[in-house]
Coordinates of all heavy atoms in Angstrom, one line a residue:
F11 N 77.9 61.9 57.2 CA 78.1 60.5 57.1 C 77.7 59.8 58.4 O 76.8 59.0 58.4 CB 79.6 60.1 56.7 CG 79.9 58.8 56.6 CD1 79.4 58.1 55.5 CD2 80.6 58.0 57.6 CE1 79.7 56.7 55.3 CE2 80.8 56.6 57.4 CZ 80.5 56.0 56.3
L12 N 78.2 60.2 59.5 CA 77.8 59.6 60.8 C 76.4 59.9 61.2 O 75.7 59.1 61.7 CB 78.9 60.0 61.8 CG 78.5 59.5 63.2 CD1 78.6 57.9 63.2 CD2 79.4 60.0 64.3
P13 N 76.0 61.2 61.1 CA 74.6 61.5 61.4 C 73.6 60.7 60.6 O 72.6 60.3 61.2 CB 74.5 63.0 61.1 CG 75.9 63.5 61.1 CD 76.7 62.4 60.8
T14 N 73.8 60.3 59.4 CA 73.0 59.6 58.7 C 72.8 58.2 59.3 O 71.7 57.6 59.4 CB 73.5 59.4 57.2 OG1 73.6 60.6 56.7 CG2 72.5 58.5 56.4
F15 N 73.8 57.5 59.7 CA 73.9 56.2 60.4 C 73.2 56.3 61.7 O 72.4 55.5 62.2 CB 75.2 55.6 60.4 CG 75.7 55.1 59.2 CD1 76.8 55.7 58.5 CD2 75.1 54.1 58.5 CE1 77.3 55.3 57.3 CE2 75.6 53.6 57.4 CZ 76.7 54.2 56.7
L16 N 73.3 57.3 62.4 CA 72.7 57.6 63.7 C 71.3 57.7 63.6 O 70.5 57.1 64.4 CB 73.3 58.8 64.5 CG 74.6 58.6 65.0 CD1 75.1 59.9 65.7 CD2 74.7 57.5 66.1
V17 N 70.8 58.4 62.5 CA 69.3 58.5 62.2 C 68.7 57.2 61.9 O 67.6 56.8 62.4 CB 69.0 59.6 61.2 CG1 67.7 59.5 60.7 CG2 69.4 61.0 61.6
I18 N 69.5 56.4 61.1 CA 68.9 55.0 60.8 C 68.8 54.2 62.1 O 67.8 53.5 62.3 CB 69.8 54.4 59.8 CG1 69.7 55.2 58.5 CG2 69.5 53.0 59.6 CD1 70.6 54.7 57.4
I19 N 69.8 54.2 63.0 CA 69.8 53.5 64.2 C 68.6 53.9 65.1 O 67.9 53.0 65.7 CB 71.1 53.6 64.9 CG1 72.2 52.9 64.1 CG2 71.0 53.0 66.3 CD1 73.6 53.2 64.6
F20 N 68.5 55.2 65.2 CA 67.4 55.8 66.1 C 66.1 55.3 65.6 O 65.2 55.1 66.3 CB 67.6 57.3 66.2 CG 68.8 57.8 67.0 CD1 69.3 59.0 66.7 CD2 69.3 56.9 67.9 CE1 70.4 59.4 67.5 CE2 70.4 57.3 68.6 CZ 71.0 58.5 68.4
Y21 N 65.9 55.5 64.2 CA 64.6 55.1 63.6 C 64.2 53.6 63.9 O 63.1 53.2 64.2 CB 64.5 55.3 62.1 CG 63.9 56.7 61.7 CD1 64.7 57.5 60.8 CD2 62.8 57.1 62.3 CE1 64.1 58.7 60.4 CE2 62.2 58.3 61.9 CZ 63.0 59.1 61.0 OH 62.5 60.3 60.6
N22 N 65.2 52.7 63.8 CA 65.1 51.4 63.9 C 65.0 50.8 65.4 O 64.4 49.8 65.7 CB 66.0 50.5 63.2 CG 65.8 50.8 61.7 OD1 64.7 50.8 61.2 ND2 66.9 50.9 60.9
F23 N 65.6 51.3 66.3 CA 65.8 50.8 67.6 C 65.2 51.6 68.7 O 65.2 51.1 69.9 CB 67.4 50.6 68.0 CG 67.9 49.6 67.1 CD1 68.9 50.0 66.0 CD2 67.7 48.2 67.2 CE1 69.4 49.1 65.1 CE2 68.3 47.2 66.4 CZ 69.1 47.7 65.3
F24 N 64.7 52.9 68.5 CA 64.2 53.7 69.6 C 62.8 54.1 69.3 O 62.4 54.2 68.0 CB 65.0 54.9 69.8 CG 66.3 54.7 70.3 CD1 67.5 54.8 69.6 CD2 66.6 54.3 71.6 CE1 68.7 54.5 70.0 CE2 67.8 54.1 72.2 CZ 68.9 54.2 71.4
V25 N 61.8 54.2 70.1 CA 60.5 54.6 69.9 C 60.5 56.2 70.1 O 60.8 56.6 71.3 CB 59.5 54.0 70.9 CG1 58.1 54.6 70.7 CG2 59.6 52.5 70.6
L26 N 60.3 56.9 69.1 CA 60.3 58.3 69.2 C 58.9 58.8 68.8 O 58.4 58.4 67.9 CB 61.4 58.9 68.2 CG 62.8 58.4 68.5 CD1 63.7 58.8 67.3 CD2 63.4 59.0 69.8
K27 N 58.5 59.8 69.6 CA 57.1 60.3 69.4 C 57.0 61.3 68.3 O 55.9 61.5 67.8 CB 56.6 60.9 70.7 CG 56.5 59.8 71.8 CD 55.8 60.4 73.0 CE 55.7 59.3 74.0 NZ 55.0 59.8 75.3
A28 N 58.1 62.0 67.9 CA 58.1 63.0 67.0 C 59.5 63.2 66.3 O 60.5 62.7 66.9 CB 57.7 64.4 67.6
E29 N 59.5 63.9 65.2 CA 60.8 64.0 64.5 C 61.6 65.0 65.3 O 62.8 64.8 65.3 CB 60.5 64.7 63.2 CG 61.6 64.8 62.2 CD 62.0 63.7 61.5 OE1 61.3 62.8 61.3 OE2 63.1 63.6 61.1
A30 N 61.1 65.8 66.0 CA 61.9 66.7 66.9 C 62.7 65.9 67.9 O 64.0 66.3 68.3 CB 61.1 67.7 67.6
W31 N 62.2 64.8 68.5 CA 62.9 64.0 69.5 C 64.1 63.4 68.8 O 65.2 63.2 69.3 CB 62.0 62.9 70.1 CG 61.0 63.6 70.9 CD1 59.7 63.8 70.9 CD2 61.3 64.0 72.3 NE1 59.2 64.4 71.9 CE2 60.1 64.6 72.9 CE3 62.5 64.1 73.1 CZ2 60.1 65.1 74.1 CZ3 62.4 64.6 74.3 CH2 61.2 65.1 74.9
L32 N 63.9 62.9 67.5 CA 65.0 62.3 66.7 C 66.2 63.3 66.6 O 67.3 63.0 66.7 CB 64.5 61.9 65.4 CG 65.6 61.3 64.4 CD1 66.2 60.0 64.8 CD2 65.0 61.3 63.0
Q33 N 65.9 64.5 66.2 CA 66.8 65.6 66.1 C 67.5 65.9 67.4 O 68.7 66.1 67.4 CB 66.2 66.7 65.4 CG 65.6 66.7 64.0 CD 66.7 66.3 63.0 OE1 67.8 66.8 63.1 NE2 66.3 65.5 62.1
Y34 N 66.7 65.9 68.4 CA 67.3 66.2 69.7 C 68.3 65.1 70.1 O 69.4 65.4 70.6 CB 66.3 66.3 70.8 CG 66.7 66.5 72.2 CD1 67.4 67.7 72.5 CD2 66.5 65.5 73.1 CE1 67.9 67.9 73.9 CE2 67.0 65.6 74.5 CZ 67.7 66.9 74.8 OH 68.1 66.9 76.0
R35 N 67.9 63.9 69.9 CA 68.8 62.7 70.3 C 69.9 62.6 69.4 O 71.1 62.3 69.9 CB 67.9 61.4 70.3 CG 68.7 60.2 70.7 CD 67.9 59.0 70.9 NE 66.9 59.3 72.0 CZ 66.6 58.3 72.8 NH1 67.2 57.0 72.7 NH2 65.9 58.4 73.9
L36 N 69.8 62.9 68.1 CA 70.9 62.9 67.2 C 71.9 64.1 67.7 O 73.2 63.8 67.7 CB 70.4 63.2 65.8 CG 71.5 63.4 64.7 CD1 72.3 62.2 64.5 CD2 70.9 63.9 63.5
Q37 N 71.4 65.1 67.9 CA 72.4 66.3 68.5 C 73.1 65.9 69.7 O 74.3 66.2 69.7 CB 71.5 67.6 68.6 CG 72.4 68.8 69.1 CD 71.5 69.9 69.3 OE1 70.3 69.9 69.2 NE2 72.2 71.1 69.5
K38 N 72.5 65.3 70.7 CA 73.2 64.8 71.9 C 74.2 63.8 71.6 O 75.4 63.9 72.1 CB 72.2 64.3 72.9 CG 71.4 65.3 73.6 CD 70.5 64.8 74.6 CE 70.5 63.4 75.0 NZ 69.5 62.9 76.0
W39 N 74.0 62.8 70.8 CA 74.9 61.8 70.5 C 76.1 62.3 69.7 O 77.2 61.9 69.9 CB 74.2 60.6 69.9 CG 73.5 59.7 70.8 CD1 72.4 59.9 71.4 CD2 74.2 58.4 71.4 NE1 72.1 58.8 72.3 CE2 73.2 58.0 72.2 CE3 75.2 57.7 71.2 CZ2 73.2 56.7 72.9 CZ3 75.4 56.6 71.8 CH2 74.5 56.1 72.7
Y40 N 75.7 63.0 68.7 CA 76.8 63.7 67.9 C 77.7 64.7 68.4 O 78.9 64.6 68.2 CB 76.2 64.3 66.6 CG 77.1 64.5 65.4 CD1 77.8 63.4 64.9 CD2 77.3 65.8 64.8 CE1 78.7 63.6 63.8 CE2 78.2 66.0 63.9 CZ 78.9 65.0 63.3 OH 79.8 65.1 62.3
F41 N 77.2 65.3 69.4 CA 78.0 66.2 70.2 C 79.0 65.5 71.0 O 80.3 65.8 71.1 CB 77.2 67.2 71.1 CG 78.1 68.1 71.9 CD1 78.5 69.2 71.4 CD2 78.1 67.8 73.3 CE1 79.4 70.0 72.3 CE2 78.9 68.6 74.1 CZ 79.5 69.7 73.6
G42 N 78.5 64.5 71.7 CA 79.4 63.6 72.5 C 80.5 62.9 71.6 O 81.7 62.8 72.0
F43 N 80.1 62.5 70.4 CA 81.1 61.9 69.5 C 82.2 62.9 69.2 O 83.3 62.7 69.1 CB 80.4 61.4 68.2 CG 81.3 61.0 67.2 CD1 81.9 59.8 67.2 CD2 81.6 61.9 66.1 CE1 82.8 59.4 66.0 CE2 82.5 61.6 65.1 CZ 83.1 60.3 65.1
L44 N 81.8 64.2 68.8 CA 82.7 65.2 68.4 C 83.6 65.6 69.5 O 84.9 65.8 69.3 CB 81.9 66.4 67.9 CG 81.3 66.3 66.5 CD1 80.5 67.6 66.2 CD2 82.3 65.9 65.4
V45 N 83.1 65.7 70.7 CA 83.9 66.0 71.9 C 85.0 64.9 72.0 O 86.1 65.2 72.3 CB 83.1 66.3 73.1 CG1 84.0 66.2 74.4 CG2 82.3 67.6 73.0
I46 N 84.6 63.6 72.1 CA 85.5 62.5 72.3 C 86.5 62.4 71.2 O 87.8 62.5 71.4 CB 84.8 61.2 72.5 CG1 84.0 61.4 74.0 CG2 85.8 60.1 72.7 CD1 83.1 60.2 74.1
Y47 N 86.1 62.3 70.0 CA 86.9 61.9 68.8 C 87.7 63.1 68.3 O 88.8 62.9 67.7 CB 86.2 61.1 67.9 CG 85.9 59.8 68.3 CD1 84.6 59.5 68.7 CD2 86.9 58.8 68.3 CE1 84.3 58.2 69.2 CE2 86.6 57.5 68.9 CZ 85.3 57.3 69.4 OH 85.0 56.0 69.8
V48 N 87.1 64.2 68.3 CA 87.9 65.4 67.7 C 88.7 66.1 68.7 O 89.9 66.4 68.4 CB 86.9 66.3 67.0 CG1 87.6 67.6 66.6 CG2 86.2 65.7 65.9
L49 N 88.1 66.4 69.9 CA 88.9 67.2 70.9 C 89.8 66.3 71.7 O 91.1 66.6 71.6 CB 87.8 67.8 71.8 CG 88.4 68.7 72.8 CD1 89.1 69.9 72.2 CD2 87.3 69.2 73.8
L50 N 89.5 65.2 72.2 CA 90.3 64.4 73.1 C 91.3 63.6 72.4 O 92.4 63.5 72.8 CB 89.5 63.6 74.0 CG 88.6 64.4 75.0 CD1 87.8 63.4 75.9 CD2 89.4 65.3 75.9
V51 N 90.9 63.0 71.3 CA 91.8 62.1 70.6 C 93.0 62.8 69.9 O 94.0 62.4 70.0 CB 91.0 61.2 69.5 CG1 91.9 60.5 68.6 CG2 90.1 60.3 70.2
T52 N 92.7 64.1 69.4 CA 93.6 64.8 68.8 C 94.7 65.3 69.9 O 95.9 65.5 69.6 CB 93.2 66.0 68.0 OG1 92.4 66.8 68.8 CG2 92.5 65.5 66.7
A53 N 94.1 65.6 71.0 CA 95.1 66.1 72.1 C 96.0 64.9 72.6 O 97.2 65.2 73.0 CB 94.3 66.6 73.2
I54 N 95.5 63.8 72.8 CA 96.1 62.6 73.4 C 96.7 61.6 72.2 O 97.6 61.0 72.5 CB 95.2 61.8 74.3 CG1 94.7 62.7 75.4 CG2 95.8 60.6 74.8 CD1 93.7 62.1 76.3
G55 N 96.2 61.9 71.0 CA 96.5 60.8 70.0 C 97.9 60.7 69.5 O 98.2 59.8 68.8
S56 N 98.9 61.6 69.9 CA 100.3 61.4 69.4 C 100.9 60.2 69.8 O 101.6 59.6 69.0 CB 101.0 62.7 69.8 OG 101.1 62.7 71.2
S57 N 100.6 59.7 71.0 CA 101.2 58.6 71.5 C 100.1 57.8 72.3 O 100.1 58.0 73.6 CB 102.4 58.8 72.4 OG 103.0 57.6 72.8
V58 N 99.3 57.0 71.8 CA 98.2 56.4 72.5 C 98.6 55.4 73.5 O 98.1 55.4 74.5 CB 97.2 55.8 71.4 CG1 96.1 55.0 72.1 CG2 96.7 56.8 70.5
T59 N 99.7 54.6 73.1 CA 100.1 53.5 74.1 C 100.7 54.1 75.3 O 100.5 53.7 76.4 CB 100.9 52.5 73.4 OG1 102.2 53.2 72.8 CG2 100.2 51.8 72.3
A60 N 101.5 55.2 75.1 CA 102.2 55.8 76.2 C 101.2 56.5 77.1 O 101.3 56.5 78.3 CB 103.3 56.8 75.7
T61 N 100.2 57.1 76.5 CA 99.1 57.9 77.3 C 98.2 56.8 78.0 O 97.9 57.0 79.2 CB 98.3 58.7 76.3 OG1 99.1 59.6 75.6 CG2 97.2 59.4 77.1
A62 N 97.9 55.7 77.3 CA 97.1 54.7 78.0 C 97.9 54.1 79.3 O 97.2 54.0 80.3 CB 96.8 53.6 77.0
T63 N 99.1 53.8 79.1 CA 99.9 53.2 80.3 C 99.9 54.3 81.3 O 100.0 53.9 82.5 CB 101.3 52.7 79.8 OG1 102.0 53.8 79.2 CG2 101.3 51.6 78.9
Q64 N 100.2 55.6 81.1 CA 100.3 56.5 82.0 C 98.9 56.7 82.8 O 99.0 56.9 84.0 CB 100.7 57.9 81.4 CG 100.8 59.1 82.4 CD 101.2 60.3 81.7 OE1 101.5 60.4 80.5 NE2 101.3 61.4 82.5
L65 N 97.9 56.7 82.1 CA 96.5 56.8 82.6 C 96.2 55.6 83.5 O 95.5 55.7 84.6 CB 95.4 57.1 81.7 CG 95.5 58.4 81.0 CD1 94.5 58.5 80.0 CD2 95.3 59.5 82.0
V66 N 96.6 54.3 83.1 CA 96.4 53.2 84.0 C 97.1 53.3 85.3 O 96.6 52.9 86.3 CB 96.8 52.0 83.2 CG1 96.8 50.7 84.0 CG2 95.8 51.7 82.0
K67 N 98.3 53.8 85.2 CA 99.2 53.9 86.3 C 98.6 55.0 87.4 O 98.6 54.7 88.5 CB 100.6 54.2 86.1 CG 101.3 53.1 85.4 CD 102.7 53.5 85.0 CE 103.5 52.3 84.3 NZ 104.8 52.8 83.9
A68 N 98.2 56.1 86.8 CA 97.7 57.3 87.6 C 96.5 57.9 86.9 O 96.7 58.9 86.1 CB 98.8 58.3 87.9
P69 N 95.3 57.4 87.0 CA 94.1 57.9 86.4 C 93.7 59.3 86.7 O 93.2 60.0 86.0 CB 93.0 56.9 86.7 CG 93.5 56.0 87.7 CD 94.9 56.2 87.9
L70 N 94.1 59.8 87.9 CA 93.8 61.2 88.3 C 94.6 62.3 87.6 O 94.5 63.4 87.7 CB 93.9 61.3 89.8 CG 92.9 60.5 90.6 CD1 93.1 60.6 92.0 CD2 91.4 60.8 90.2
T71 N 95.6 61.8 86.7 CA 96.6 62.8 86.1 C 96.0 63.1 84.6 O 96.7 63.8 84.0 CB 97.9 62.3 85.9 OG1 97.9 61.0 85.1 CG2 98.6 61.9 87.3
A72 N 94.8 62.6 84.4 CA 94.2 62.9 83.0 C 94.0 64.4 82.8 O 94.2 64.9 81.8 CB 92.9 62.2 82.9
P73 N 93.4 65.2 83.8 CA 93.4 66.7 83.6 C 94.7 67.3 83.3 O 94.8 68.2 82.4 CB 92.7 67.2 84.7 CG 91.9 66.1 85.3 CD 92.7 64.8 85.1
N74 N 95.7 66.9 84.0 CA 97.0 67.5 83.8 C 97.6 67.1 82.4 O 98.3 67.9 81.8 CB 98.1 67.0 84.9 CG 97.7 67.6 86.2 OD1 97.0 68.7 86.3 ND2 97.9 66.9 87.3
L75 N 97.3 65.9 82.1 CA 97.8 65.4 80.7 C 97.1 66.3 79.6 O 97.8 66.7 78.7 CB 97.4 63.9 80.5 CG 97.9 63.3 79.3 CD1 99.4 63.4 79.2 CD2 97.4 61.8 79.2
L76 N 95.8 66.4 79.8 CA 95.2 67.2 78.8 C 95.7 68.7 78.6 O 95.9 69.3 77.7 CB 93.6 67.3 79.0 CG 93.0 66.0 78.5 CD1 91.5 66.0 79.0 CD2 93.1 65.8 77.0
A77 N 96.0 69.2 79.9 CA 96.5 70.6 79.9 C 97.9 70.7 79.3 O 98.2 71.7 78.7 CB 96.6 71.0 81.5
D78 N 98.6 69.6 79.4 CA 99.9 69.6 78.9 C 99.9 69.5 77.3 O 100.7 70.0 76.6 CB 100.8 68.7 79.5 CG 101.2 68.9 80.9 OD1 101.1 70.1 81.3 OD2 101.6 68.0 81.6
T79 N 99.0 68.6 76.8 CA 99.0 68.3 75.4 C 98.1 69.2 74.5 O 98.2 69.3 73.4 CB 98.6 66.8 75.2 OG1 97.2 66.6 75.7 CG2 99.6 65.9 75.7
M80 N 97.1 69.8 75.1 CA 96.2 70.7 74.3 C 96.9 71.9 73.6 O 96.7 72.1 72.4 CB 95.1 71.2 75.1 CG 94.0 70.2 75.3 SD 93.3 69.7 73.8 CE 91.8 70.8 73.9
P81 N 97.8 72.6 74.3 CA 98.5 73.6 73.5 C 99.3 73.1 72.2 O 99.5 73.7 71.3 CB 99.4 74.2 74.5 CG 98.7 74.0 75.8 CD 98.2 72.6 75.6
L82 N 99.9 71.8 72.4 CA 100.5 71.3 71.2 C 99.7 70.9 70.1 O 100.1 70.8 69.0 CB 101.4 70.1 71.7 CG 102.3 70.4 72.9 CD1 103.0 69.0 73.4 CD2 103.4 71.4 72.5
A83 N 98.5 70.7 70.3 CA 97.6 70.2 69.4 C 96.8 71.4 68.8 O 95.9 71.3 67.9 CB 96.5 69.2 69.9
S84 N 97.0 72.6 69.2 CA 96.2 73.7 68.8 C 96.3 74.0 67.3 O 95.4 74.6 66.7 CB 96.5 75.0 69.6 OG 97.8 75.4 69.4
H85 N 97.4 73.8 66.7 CA 97.5 74.1 65.3 C 96.6 73.3 64.5 O 96.1 73.7 63.4 CB 99.0 73.8 64.9 CG 99.4 72.3 64.8 ND1 99.7 71.7 66.1 CD2 99.4 71.4 63.9 CE1 100.0 70.4 65.9 NE2 99.8 70.2 64.7
F86 N 96.2 72.0 65.0 CA 95.2 71.3 64.2 C 93.8 71.9 64.3 O 93.1 71.9 63.3 CB 95.0 69.9 65.0 CG 94.0 69.0 64.4 CD1 94.2 68.2 63.3 CD2 92.7 68.8 65.1 CE1 93.1 67.5 62.8 CE2 91.7 68.1 64.5 CZ 91.9 67.4 63.5
Y87 N 93.5 72.6 65.4 CA 92.2 73.3 65.5 C 92.1 74.5 64.6 O 91.2 75.0 64.2 CB 91.8 73.5 67.0 CG 91.8 72.3 67.8 CD1 92.7 72.0 68.7 CD2 90.7 71.3 67.5 CE1 92.6 70.7 69.4 CE2 90.6 70.2 68.2 CZ 91.5 69.9 69.1 OH 91.4 68.8 69.7
L88 N 93.3 75.3 64.6 CA 93.4 76.5 63.8 C 93.2 76.2 62.3 O 92.9 77.1 61.6 CB 94.7 77.1 64.0 CG 94.8 77.7 65.5 CD1 96.3 78.4 65.7 CD2 93.8 78.7 65.7
N89 N 93.3 75.0 61.9 CA 93.2 74.6 60.4 C 91.7 74.7 60.1 O 91.3 74.8 58.9 CB 93.8 73.3 60.1 CG 95.3 73.3 60.0 OD1 95.9 74.3 59.8 ND2 95.9 72.2 60.4
Y90 N 90.9 74.6 61.0 CA 89.4 74.6 60.7 C 89.0 76.1 60.4 O 87.9 76.3 59.8 CB 88.6 74.2 61.9 CG 88.5 72.8 62.1 CD1 89.0 72.1 63.3 CD2 87.9 71.9 61.2 CE1 89.0 70.8 63.5 CE2 87.9 70.6 61.4 CZ 88.3 70.0 62.5 OH 88.4 68.6 62.7
I91 N 89.6 77.1 60.8 CA 89.4 78.4 60.5 C 89.9 78.8 59.1 O 91.1 78.7 59.0 CB 89.9 79.4 61.6 CG1 89.4 79.1 63.0 CG2 89.6 80.8 61.2 CD1 89.9 79.7 64.1
P92 N 89.1 79.4 58.2 CA 89.6 79.7 56.8 C 90.5 80.9 56.8 O 90.4 81.7 57.7 CB 88.4 79.9 56.0 CG 87.1 79.9 56.9 CD 87.7 79.3 58.3

């Protein structure tokens, strides 16, 4: 679903010299999307407002916050394995 829209955007708004450049750019953007929205949002997503206020108060605690919440979200990732 999302890759289709990204391809349409890249065709219309970027000058690409070959189809391979389109695929390369699509792969870079889609990987970034997956890292942010699948990995980080599920780890922090249980309480977005509490997490946001904690990060605003102390932004350098983000790695510690991820280290604390990733083990709790691991069951979500295990559902991907059949």
Side-chain angles (χ1 to χ4, degrees):
F11 183 71
L12 179 67
T14 305
F15 285 112
L16 287 176
V17 167
I18 292 169
I19 291 169
F20 293 153
Y21 268 132
N22 290 323
F23 295 106
F24 295 103
V25 177
L26 301 168
K27 294 182 179 181
E29 185 79 20
W31 288 103
L32 172 72
Q33 295 297 322
Y34 176 68
R35 187 171 287 221
L36 174 67
Q37 183 178 4
K38 285 186 355 184
W39 278 79
Y40 194 58
F41 177 77
F43 170 80
L44 289 178
V45 166
I46 291 171
Y47 288 104
V48 173
L49 186 64
L50 298 179
V51 169
T52 55
I54 299 176
S56 60
S57 176
V58 176
T59 56
T61 304
T63 56
Q64 182 179 357
L65 289 176
V66 167
K67 290 179 184 177
L70 296 177
T71 62
N74 293 334
L75 179 65
L76 283 174
D78 292 338
T79 57
M80 280 299 263
L82 301 175
S84 63
H85 66 282
F86 175 79
Y87 300 111
L88 292 176
N89 288 332
Y90 282 121
I91 301 172

